[in-house]
Amino acid sequence: MKRLLLLAALVLFSIPVQAQVDRATLTGTVKDQQGAVISGATIAVTHTGTNVTTRVRTTSEGVYLAPNLISGTHTVAAEAQGFGTQ
């Protein structure tokens, strides 16, 4: 009886479980027309269904990271002093 219970416990606890994540991360580099990176640019990532906007700034290397975004379609706008919004 103990063996049967142990076997049942092993079978039940050995079933693999997969996690599902409904969030995303967007990353990129902002550069000008000559290919120079733009540090301190503001990036606005807007979910088109909810109009929720996540704002981040680029690093000194021109890199941005927008974490924990809701799944779906987004628009991305970059703005920096001396440049137009793209």
Side-chain angles (χ1 to χ4, degrees):
M1 183 67 176
K2 285 184 180 182
R3 283 185 150 176
L4 183 59
L5 287 174
L6 180 61
L7 179 62
L10 286 174
V11 169
L12 288 175
F13 291 116
S14 65
I15 298 171
V17 178
Q18 296 180 0
Q20 294 181 358
V21 179
D22 66 344
R23 300 295 175 148
T25 299
L26 179 66
T27 187
T29 304
V30 179
K31 298 180 180 181
D32 65 12
Q33 291 179 343
Q34 286 73 37
V37 297
I38 301 175
S39 63
T42 300
I43 308 300
V45 183
T46 304
H47 188 277
T48 57
T50 63
N51 279 335
V52 172
T53 300
T54 301
R55 292 187 191 327
V56 294
R57 292 180 76 66
T58 59
T59 64
S60 59
E61 292 85 26
V63 177
Y64 65 90
L65 179 71
N68 205 25
L69 299 171
I70 300 170
S71 297
T73 304
H74 293 79
T75 59
V76 180
E79 186 176 358
Q81 188 174 10
F83 296 90
T85 301
Q86 296 294 316

